[in-house]
C-alpha cells in the first residue's frame, strides 16, 4: 500500500477530513457525548458499590429453646463473624420456617433445649443452622466459617481456652494464603472487570451505529460518491471512538483508585497497551456490526447479542472455571474474557508481559479478524 | 471521447427491472437533460454511472474509466448531486464544505471554502447548521459542494427542485458557463423550461429509454398535431371534446385550450364541428415539449395495461 496523497487506498488528508467530521458530530450530539463519559462513571460507582460476591450481615432468626450462657456465647460468636445479624428471636420452629419462606431471613439457627446439658456432659452437643440456599453464593461464605467459629466459642465459654490452644497445636494445620486479595474484597475483582464491561458496552454500541446512521440519514450516498476508500472510512469511524475509549479508561482507572482503593501492583504502561488492543478489537467489532446491520435498531440488537454472553461467559459475573468445557470454549471466543484475565493479572497480581502474552495474542487476533471481516463486508455501493 | 458511453445497462431490484437496456452517449461539454415520470429509473441510472450501483448487465465507460472496475477513479472526477439532501445536517455550512474540500484534496481548504461561500452568498451564514437551511438553500449548498472540486462530469439529480426562479436562472447560467469550459452535465429534471435549456434531452419511461435528441427533434419525432381553441365557455368545449376520435389530450392554457393528437386528420375532423360555433375559433398551434411528454406517459400507461 502506497501512503501518499495520490494513493487510492489511503491518504492522510482524506482521513483527516473524516476524523474532523466525526469529532464535530460527536461534540454536537450532546446526549451521546454525555453518555460516553457519564455512563461509565455512573456504572462504575453503581455496580462497584452494589455488587458483592461475599455478602455479610445477613438477616438471621434464632430459635433458642433455652436461654443459658452457652446459647448467648454461640450467638455472640456467630455475630462476630459479620455474616449473621440476628434480628428475630422466635419461640417455635414453625414461625422460623415462615420467616425463611417469606425471605425475611436467610438463616435460621436453632439451639436445642438440651444444648447446655450436653455441653457440660461432653455428649456431642448439636446446633442446627438452616440456610436459604436458593442463591448458593449468599449461603456459602456464611456456612464455611461456621464449624471452627462454633467449636472455639464453645471451648472458650467452658473456660477451656488452654485445651483449645492445645488442641489447635496438635491439629493438622492447613495454611491458606489468600493471595492478591487477602481480605476477599469483591471490589478488587469487580472494579477492574467493570472497566472491561463498560468498554465492551459503550465502544461496541457507539461504533455499531456509526455506518448505519449514515445509511439511515442518507449521507452514505454522498459519502460513497466521494473519493473516500473503505479503509479510510473505517479508520475515520473507528479512531474517534478509540479516543473516547481512552478517556473512559482514564476515568475508570482513576475512580477505581480513588473510590475503591483497588491495588495496582503491575505496570501501568503494560496495562494501557493491553487496553488499547482490547478497545481496538471492540471498535472493530462494532464497525463490523454496522457493516451488517441495515438500521440502527438492528445494530443495537446485535450489540446486545454480543454483550450478554460477554458478561455471563467471560468470567465477569461467574467464575470461568466453574463453567463446562463447551462454555469455556465459547468464552475463549470473547475478547472480554481475555481482557479480564489481563487486567486482573496486571492490576492485582503484577503480572508481566510474559505471563499475559497468550491473552495479548488472542486480543491482537481479534483485531486482525474483525478488521478483515469489516473490510470484506463493507459495501462500496448502495446495492 | 464521450464523457458518458454506456450500453445495455440493466438493473433489477428483486423481480422488478428498474433500468432496462439503457444506453446513453454524452459528448464532452454537452448538457443533457434526463427526463421521465416518477419512478422511471432516472436516479437509478445516474447512480450506476457514478459507481454507486453495479449494473446487472451492460457495459460502459464514464470519462474513459470502466464502470465496473474503475469506480474510484470515476468518483474523483465526477460531481454527483443526490436527489435527497445528503450532506451532514449536524455540521455547519462551512464545515460541510471543508469536509468536501479535504476529501478531494483542495488546498488550502480555507481559500476554497471562502470562495465557494462567497459565490453562494452564504458567507454570513457560514456557521449555520446545514439542517436548518430552507429546502432551496440546501439544494444550492449541495450544488456548490459538488462543483467545488472542478469535476469533468456533473451528474445532477433534480438539482433545482424547490429552488426559486432567480436562483434557477443563476444555476443554469453557471451550468452553461461551465459547459463552455468543457464540463459535461447530465441533469435530471421535471421542469420543461429546464429541458429546453439543455443541448439534448433523453426521455426514460419505466426503465426504457424512449427517445433522445434536441428538443425540436424530440417534438418532431413525436408526430403530434396541436390545435389551439379559443373562445367562451371552454369548459363545455373541453368536456365535449374528451373522447372524440383523434383527441388525445385536452389541456387548458390560460384562456385557451390545447388539443393534441397523433392522428392529424381525425383530430382536424373532430374539431371542425366546433370551429366557428358560438364565437369559438380553432387555429393550428405549436406542439410543446410538455405535450409530447404527457403523450409519452399516457402511452406508457396503455402499455402497462
Ligand atoms: N434500493 C431499491 N430497492 C428496491 N427498489 C428500488 C430501489 N431504488 C429504487 N427502486 C425502485 O426503482 C424504481 C425507479 O426508481 P428511481 O429512483 O430510479 O426513479 P426516478 O426516475 O429517479 O424517480 P423520481 O422522478 O421520483 O425521482 C422505483 O420504482 C423504485 O421504487
Ligand atoms: Mg429520482
Amino acid at each position: 500500500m502506497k501512503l501518499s496523497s495520490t494513493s487510492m487506498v489511503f491518504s492522510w488528508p482524506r482521513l483527516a477530513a473524516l476524523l474532523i467530521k466525526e469529532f464535530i458530530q460527536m461534540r454536537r450530539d450532546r446526549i451521546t457525548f454525555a453518555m460516553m463519559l457519564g455512563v461509565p462513571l455512573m456504572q462504575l460507582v453503581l455496580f462497584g458499590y452494589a455488587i458483592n460476591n461475599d455478602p455479610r450481615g445477613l438477616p438471621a432468626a434464632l430459635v433458642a429453646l433455652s436461654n443459658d450462657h452457652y446459647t448467648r456465647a454461640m450467638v455472640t460468636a456467630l455475630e462476630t463473624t459479620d455474616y449473621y445479624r440476628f434480628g428475630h428471636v422466635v419461640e417455635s420452629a414453625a414461625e422460623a420456617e415462615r420467616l425463611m419462606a417469606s425471605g425475611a431471613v436467610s438463616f435460621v439457627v436453632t439451639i436445642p433445649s438440651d444444648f447446655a446439658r450436653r455441653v457440660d456432659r461432653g455428649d456431642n452437643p448439636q446446633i442446627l443452622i438452616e440456610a436459604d440456599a436458593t442463591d448458593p453464593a449468599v449461603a456459602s461464605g456464611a456456612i464455611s466459617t461456621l464449624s471452627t467459629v462454633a467449636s472455639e466459642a464453645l471451648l472458650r465459654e467452658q473456660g477451656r481456652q488452654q485445651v483449645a490452644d492445645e488442641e489447635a497445636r496438635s491439629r493438622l494445620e492447613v495454611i491458606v494464603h489468600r493471595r492478591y486479595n487477602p481480605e476477599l474484597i469483591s471490589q478488587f475483582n469487580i472494579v477492574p472487570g467493570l472497566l472491561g464491561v463498560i468498554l465492551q458496552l459503550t465502544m461496541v454500541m457507539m461504533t455499531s451505529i456509526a455506518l448505519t446512521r449514515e445509511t439511515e440519514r442518507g449521507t452514505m450516498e454522498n459519502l460513497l460518491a466521494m473519493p473516500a476508500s473503505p479503509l479510510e472510512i473505517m479508520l475515520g469511524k473507528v479512531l474517534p471512538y478509540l479516543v473516547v475509549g481512552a478517556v473512559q479508561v482514564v476515568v475508570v482507572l482513576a475512580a477505581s483508585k480513588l473510590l475503591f482503593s483497588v491495588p495496582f501492583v503491575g505496570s501501568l504502561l503494560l496495562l494501557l497497551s493491553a487496553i488499547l488492543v482490547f478497545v481496538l478489537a471492540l471498535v472493530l467489532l462494532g464497525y463490523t456490526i454496522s457493516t451488517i446491520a441495515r438500521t440502527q435498531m438492528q445494530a443495537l440488537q446485535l450489540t446486545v447479542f454480543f454483550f450478554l454472553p460477554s458478561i455471563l461467559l467471560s468470567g465477569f459475573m461467574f467464575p470461568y472455571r466453574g463453567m463446562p468445557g463447551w462454555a469455556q470454549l465459547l468464552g475463549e471466543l470473547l475478547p472480554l474474557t481475555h481482557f479480564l484475565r489481563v487486567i486482573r493479572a496486571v492490576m492485582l497480581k503484577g503480572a508481566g508481559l510474559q505471563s499475559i502474552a497468550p491473552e495479548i495474542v488472542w486480543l491482537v487476533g481479534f483485531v486482525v479478524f474483525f478488521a478483515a471481516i469489516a473490510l470484506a463486508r463493507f459495501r462500496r455501493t448502495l446495492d | 471521447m464521450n464523457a458518458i458511453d454506456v450500453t445495455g445497462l440493466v438493473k433489477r431490484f428483486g423481480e422488478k427491472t428498474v433500468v432496462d437496456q439503457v444506453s446513453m452517449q454524452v459528448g464532452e461539454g454537452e448538457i443533457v437533460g434526463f427526463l421521465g415520470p416518477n419512478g422511471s429509473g432516472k436516479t437509478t441510472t445516474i447512480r450506476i454511472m457514478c459507481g454507486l450501483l453495479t449494473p446487472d448487465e451492460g457495459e460502459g465507460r464514464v470519462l474513459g474509466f470502466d464502470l465496473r472496475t474503475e469506480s474510484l477513479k470515476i468518483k474523483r472526477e465526477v460531481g454527483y448531486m443526490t436527489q435527497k439532501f445528503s450532506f451532514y445536517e449536524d455540521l455547519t455550512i462551512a464545515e460541510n464544505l471543508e469536509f468536501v474540500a479535504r476529501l478531494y484534496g483542495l488546498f488550502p481548504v480555507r481559500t476554497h471554502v471562502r470562495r465557494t461561500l462567497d459565490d453562494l452568498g452564504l458567507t454570513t451564514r457560514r456557521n449555520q447548521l446545514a439542517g436548518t437551511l430552507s429546502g432551496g438553500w440546501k439544494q444550492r449548498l449541495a450544488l456548490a459542494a459538488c462543483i467545488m472540486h472542478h469535476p469533468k462530469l456533473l451528474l445532477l439529480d433534480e438539482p433545482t427542485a424547490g429552488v426559486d426562479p432567480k436562483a434557477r436562472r443563476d444555476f443554469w447560467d453557471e451550468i452553461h458557463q461551465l459547459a463552455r469550459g468543457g464540463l459535461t452535465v447530465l441533469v435530471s429534471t421535471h421542469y420543461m423550461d429546464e429541458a429546453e435549456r439543455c443541448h439534448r434531452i433523453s426521455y426514460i419511461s419505466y426503465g426504457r429509454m424512449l427517445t433522445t435528441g434536441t428538443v425540436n427533434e424530440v417534438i418532431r419525432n413525436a408526430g403530434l398535431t396541436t390545435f389551439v381553441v379559443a373562445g367562451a365557455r371552454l369548459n363545455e368545449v373541453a368536456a365535449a371534446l374528451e373522447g372524440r376520435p383523434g383527441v388525445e389530450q385536452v389541456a387548458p392554457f390560460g384562456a385557451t385550450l390545447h388539443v393534441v393528437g397523433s392522428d392529424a386528420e381525425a383530430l382536424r375532423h373532430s374539431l371542425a364541428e366546433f370551429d366557428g360555433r358560438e364565437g369559438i375559433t380553432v387555429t393550428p398551434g405549436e406542439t410543446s415539449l410538455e405535450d409530447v411528454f404527457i403523450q409519452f406517459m399516457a402511452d406508457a400507461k396503455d402499455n402497462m395495461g
Side-chain angles (χ1 to χ4, degrees):
Chain A
M1 177 169 46
K2 202 172 88 205
L3 297 184
S4 80
S5 62
T6 54
S7 160
M8 286 277 164
V9 181
F10 184 83
S11 99
W12 287 108
R14 288 202 298 262
L15 179 58
L18 292 161
L19 288 177
I20 293 169
K21 180 217 101 192
E22 203 67 32
F23 275 119
I24 296 174
Q25 287 187 306
M26 213 182 256
R27 203 189 58 208
R28 295 256 156 82
D29 189 354
R30 287 278 161 81
I31 294 185
T32 310
F33 193 64
M35 226 178 78
M36 285 181 219
L37 299 181
V39 165
L41 203 55
M42 214 179 67
Q43 288 182 331
L44 180 75
V45 171
L46 186 65
F47 299 137
Y49 282 118
I51 298 179
N52 188 354
N53 286 334
D54 189 22
R56 316 264 170 138
L58 298 164
L62 178 68
V63 187
L65 301 174
S66 74
N67 187 14
D68 51 83
H69 63 116
Y70 288 125
T71 303
R72 284 194 301 274
M74 284 314 299
V75 170
T76 315
L78 289 177
E79 273 186 332
T80 50
T81 63
D82 266 2
Y83 282 108
Y84 305 88
R85 187 171 45 75
F86 288 98
H88 304 263
V89 177
V90 297
E91 313 277 81
S92 71
E95 197 177 347
E97 178 70 32
R98 195 182 47 74
L99 284 171
M100 171 99 80
S102 70
V105 298
S106 301
F107 298 99
V108 173
V109 177
T110 308
I111 301 183
S113 54
D114 61 351
F115 184 64
R117 208 168 56 239
R118 276 168 176 258
V119 173
D120 287 336
R121 280 210 313 247
D123 180 15
N124 190 20
Q126 288 179 321
I127 62 174
L128 171 67
I129 298 196
E130 292 162 282
D132 178 354
T134 43
D135 186 346
V138 172
S140 65
I143 295 171
S144 66
T145 56
L146 266 179
S147 54
T148 43
V149 166
S151 60
E152 272 171 24
L154 209 53
L155 287 173
R156 220 179 358 260
E157 191 56 31
Q158 285 174 296
R160 298 198 300 166
Q161 191 68 40
Q162 208 104 37
V163 182
D165 290 347
E166 258 161 42
E167 209 166 74
R169 256 197 296 281
S170 62
R171 212 169 37 205
L172 165 66
E173 192 177 7
V174 178
I175 301 168
V176 178
H177 279 188
R178 290 164 170 170
R179 298 276 304 275
Y180 313 124
N181 185 3
E183 290 161 77
L184 296 181
I185 299 175
S186 291
Q187 266 110 5
F188 291 3
N189 188 41
I190 296 286
V191 170
L194 266 179
L195 174 60
V197 171
I198 289 169
L199 287 171
Q200 164 90 32
L201 181 64
T202 50
M203 291 293 101
V204 178
M205 191 166 71
M206 304 270 161
T207 40
S208 72
I209 58 172
L211 271 188
T212 40
R213 190 178 51 205
E214 300 247 6
T215 312
E216 277 191 15
R217 291 188 186 170
T219 53
M220 197 66 181
E221 183 174 5
N222 212 351
L223 187 60
L224 289 177
M226 293 195 275
S229 71
L231 178 67
E232 289 156 355
I233 294 180
M234 180 173 92
L235 291 177
K237 286 290 180 192
V238 153
L239 293 181
Y241 292 100
L242 209 58
V243 174
V244 173
V247 176
Q248 290 189 345
V249 168
V250 171
V251 168
V252 173
L253 283 183
S256 59
K257 191 85 203 149
L258 296 175
L259 296 178
F260 300 105
S261 315
V262 177
F264 195 134
V265 290
S267 147
L268 181 62
L269 188 68
L270 179 63
L271 182 64
L272 290 180
S273 318
I275 292 178
L276 182 71
V277 183
F278 175 59
V279 175
L280 199 54
L282 292 181
V283 289
L284 286 170
L285 168 64
Y287 187 78
T288 305
I289 290 178
S290 85
T291 61
I292 294 167
R294 291 251 166 198
T295 63
Q296 297 191 46
M297 195 60 199
Q298 288 176 357
L300 287 180
Q301 285 168 346
L302 279 170
T303 301
V304 173
F305 175 76
F306 274 95
F307 183 65
L308 277 182
S310 286
I311 52 171
L312 297 179
L313 300 184
S314 64
F316 172 70
M317 290 268 257
F318 308 110
Y320 182 80
R321 295 199 199 288
M323 303 192 302
W326 58 268
Q328 293 195 5
L329 205 67
L330 270 181
E332 292 287 336
L333 299 178
L334 300 165
L336 186 58
T337 307
H338 301 278
F339 176 72
L340 289 181
R341 289 180 197 158
V342 169
I343 191 170
R344 283 174 181 160
V346 174
M347 270 183 92
L348 304 179
K349 303 187 198 170
L353 178 59
Q354 208 136 51
S355 38
I356 59 166
E359 312 301 336
I360 300 287
V361 169
W362 267 99
L363 289 175
V364 171
F366 286 121
V367 169
V368 175
F369 180 66
F370 291 140
I373 298 193
L375 282 176
R377 285 277 327 168
F378 183 78
R379 292 181 290 261
R380 282 156 189 263
T381 62
L382 297 169
D383 291 90
Chain B
M1 183 192 74
N2 281 334
I4 296 178
D5 196 340
V6 295
T7 44
L9 294 184
V10 173
K11 183 71 193 174
R12 296 185 197 92
F13 289 118
E15 293 283 279
K16 208 161 124 197
T17 304
V18 169
V19 172
D20 194 1
Q21 296 293 337
V22 165
S23 302
M24 193 185 259
Q25 278 73 37
V26 179
E28 225 167 278
E30 224 183 344
I31 302 175
V32 173
F34 198 13
L35 292 100
N38 292 132
S40 54
K42 300 183 295 295
T43 300
T44 309
T45 309
I46 293 178
R47 281 177 176 165
I48 293 174
M49 287 181 191
C50 61
L52 284 180
L53 290 174
T54 31
D56 294 314
E57 288 169 31
E59 301 302 325
R61 295 192 156 264
V62 172
L63 297 172
F65 299 119
D66 188 274
L67 206 57
R68 292 173 182 274
T69 57
E70 296 175 299
S71 67
L72 263 177
K73 287 181 185 155
I74 294 176
K75 284 173 189 177
R76 282 197 187 184
E77 311 274 357
V78 168
Y80 169 49
M81 179 174 166
T82 55
Q83 180 170 2
K84 179 179 170 292
F85 182 73
S86 54
F87 281 91
Y88 297 97
E89 304 215 332
D90 48 354
L91 257 54
T92 65
I93 296 165
E95 284 161 355
N96 269 303
L97 292 174
E98 282 161 14
F99 173 66
V100 175
R102 285 197 189 92
L103 264 191
Y104 284 102
L106 305 174
F107 298 110
V109 171
R110 251 169 224 282
T111 319
H112 280 87
V113 170
R114 196 185 321 122
R115 192 181 314 138
T116 309
L117 284 170
D118 281 343
D119 289 349
L120 266 173
L122 278 179
T123 307
T124 52
R125 298 163 81 176
R126 53 177 300 142
N127 291 327
Q128 186 177 338
L129 290 185
T132 64
L133 282 171
S134 74
W137 276 106
K138 277 185 188 166
Q139 295 291 95
R140 293 167 72 170
L141 170 64
L143 183 71
C146 78
I147 301 178
M148 203 160 55
H149 65 287
H150 307 297
K152 291 189 184 139
L153 170 65
L154 269 185
L155 300 171
L156 307 174
D157 201 353
E158 301 192 27
T160 56
V163 172
D164 66 44
K166 166 78 168 65
R168 253 171 66 183
R169 177 164 303 173
D170 292 347
F171 159 75
W172 277 97
D173 287 348
E174 176 157 18
I175 292 293
H176 273 275
Q177 200 180 326
L178 291 168
R180 276 194 292 278
L183 177 76
T184 311
V185 183
L186 177 66
V187 49
S188 81
T189 179
H190 290 294
Y191 298 122
M192 293 306 125
D193 60 317
E194 293 192 344
E196 286 170 0
R197 285 167 175 266
C198 297
H199 299 142
R200 221 150 45 82
I201 55 173
S202 288
Y203 186 90
I204 188 173
S205 175
Y206 298 102
R208 288 170 191 272
M209 199 66 101
L210 285 193
T211 183
T212 181
T214 64
V215 171
N216 287 335
E217 282 167 3
V218 169
I219 294 177
R220 205 173 332 121
N221 292 343
L224 295 181
T225 309
T226 300
F227 286 96
V228 178
V229 181
R233 299 203 292 177
L234 287 176
N235 304 352
E236 289 167 25
V237 179
L241 277 171
E242 212 69 76
R244 291 290 184 96
V247 176
E248 285 161 15
Q249 292 178 38
V250 181
F253 267 82
T256 61
L257 276 184
H258 282 209
V259 186
V260 183
S262 43
D263 184 343
E265 256 330 293
L267 185 62
R268 195 167 296 133
H269 195 260
S270 292
L271 280 168
E273 53 183 281
F274 291 91
D275 197 6
R277 194 204 287 182
E278 303 162 31
I280 284 174
T281 58
V282 177
T283 48
E286 293 236 334
T287 305
S288 71
L289 193 57
E290 182 165 287
D291 297 331
V292 174
F293 287 165
I294 302 285
Q295 194 72 23
F296 280 154
M297 288 186 209
D299 292 350
K301 257 192 210 103
D302 294 347
N303 289 346
M304 296 282 281

